[in-house]
Amino acid sequence: MTMASRKTLWLAALALAFSAAAGIGQTAEPAKTQADKPQIDRPLGVVELFTSQGCNSCPPADALFAELAAKEDIVALAYHVDYWDYLGWQDTLSRKENTERQNDYMRAFGSRSVYTPQAVINGRVHVNGASRIDVDGALARMAKSGQGMRVAVKVSRTSDRVMIDAGDAGNGPSDAHVVIVYFDPPQTVKIGQGENTGRKLTYWNAVSGIQTAGMWHGKAQRYELPMSEISKKGGCAVLLQSVGRDGLPGPILGAAFIHKP
């Protein structure tokens, strides 16, 4: 064996040892799980999409919504409405209460009629839910102008309960409802009739129920929910939403997802 050959073997052995050491170092550090990630207590904003399986303008909005639902800094909720069912296909995820919430927003905004796909941003404005420019633009403008999530909302849990901590508003707003919004896990639906006949679409965060868990009066306060109720649902979010004297929904001041164990 020549000196050159010995040198080549020595370098190869050194490289192999270095690679093995690097592998041991990588193995020793556990991968971070979803639970290890810090919770975002002030997301960029809340997007509420009003949509329908029977509306041929909605699939592009549903696709955009799927992207928003995958982002950690956006609370995205889809409300399937029932008023397009007469076109020949009954939306499998629609609820009368979802349509009622959209009608309440319509009255709050002073609009003459509802439409789909409609995206309500932070409870303050509505835009075309299929327009990425409009949705992203509204979120960015509100975050910059102080109309975003002004109040921190943190969620923690024990084995039998969920704790929701709403922060202090300082000199800001002083009253809001603590609204719990339940939603289904992702569902793929093959549409058999109507304007979207034959299409197979996946729907995310379809709202299945809404309840008011309490009142917030501008000061830091804790609310508790039984874990048994949360565990029954596909998922849920908490909205700190102001409500007018007429009972109509107003600006959303804070929000967070409530993750199941």
Side-chain angles (χ1 to χ4, degrees):
M1 182 180 295
T2 65
M3 289 293 293
S5 298
R6 289 182 177 179
K7 185 176 181 180
T8 300
L9 287 173
W10 181 81
L11 289 173
L14 183 63
L16 182 61
F18 179 79
S19 297
I24 292 173
Q26 290 173 356
T27 304
E29 183 180 351
K32 287 189 176 182
T33 64
Q34 185 72 26
D36 294 328
K37 296 180 180 179
Q39 183 192 32
I40 299 173
D41 58 8
R42 293 199 191 193
L44 177 62
V46 176
V47 177
E48 297 177 274
L49 176 68
F50 293 90
T51 185
S52 173
Q53 296 170 6
C55 166
N56 62 7
S57 299
C58 286
D62 297 324
L64 173 59
F65 180 85
E67 295 180 32
L68 297 173
K71 295 184 177 182
E72 294 183 3
D73 64 342
I74 293 177
V75 174
L77 302 165
Y79 299 80
H80 286 247
V81 297
D82 60 4
Y83 50 80
W84 293 124
D85 290 356
Y86 79 93
L87 295 176
W89 176 255
Q90 184 172 351
D91 190 312
T92 60
L93 300 171
S94 67
R95 299 174 66 256
K96 181 180 71 172
E97 291 81 1
N98 294 346
T99 303
E100 290 173 353
R101 183 165 175 83
Q102 188 181 27
N103 282 320
D104 286 343
Y105 270 130
M106 175 199 71
R107 289 190 286 272
F109 295 144
S111 302
R112 293 185 177 182
S113 62
V114 295
Y115 64 93
T116 55
Q118 180 188 42
V120 175
I121 314 297
N122 296 350
R124 296 177 181 271
V125 300
H126 63 96
V127 299
N128 180 354
S131 172
R132 185 186 302 272
I133 292 177
D134 289 347
V135 173
D136 288 348
L139 284 167
R141 285 193 302 273
M142 289 187 189
K144 189 175 181 179
S145 65
Q147 295 182 318
M149 302 295 98
R150 301 175 59 181
V151 181
V153 177
K154 295 183 179 180
V155 177
S156 56
R157 62 174 182 260
T158 64
S159 59
D160 64 346
R161 70 193 66 186
V162 171
M163 284 78 70
I164 301 168
D165 289 292
D168 195 311
N171 295 324
S174 59
D175 285 298
H177 287 191
V178 180
V179 181
I180 309 299
V181 183
Y182 298 99
F183 55 84
D184 292 329
Q187 298 185 47
T188 299
V189 178
K190 186 175 182 180
I191 300 174
Q193 296 180 12
E195 295 187 340
N196 292 315
T197 300
R199 302 192 70 164
K200 195 173 183 180
L201 302 170
T202 300
Y203 296 100
W204 296 78
N205 296 6
V207 171
S208 59
I210 308 174
Q211 72 176 72
T212 299
M215 287 286 296
W216 172 82
H217 298 292
K219 300 297 181 182
Q221 189 170 344
R222 168 168 286 190
Y223 308 86
E224 293 187 2
L225 297 175
M227 178 60 75
S228 58
E229 286 301 307
I230 303 299
S231 299
K232 293 177 184 177
K233 312 297 181 180
C236 63
V238 55
L239 308 178
L240 201 63
Q241 185 164 29
S242 59
V243 176
R245 292 181 179 179
D246 50 8
L248 298 178
I252 296 172
L253 311 174
F257 279 117
I258 301 176
H259 297 293
K260 294 197 296 184

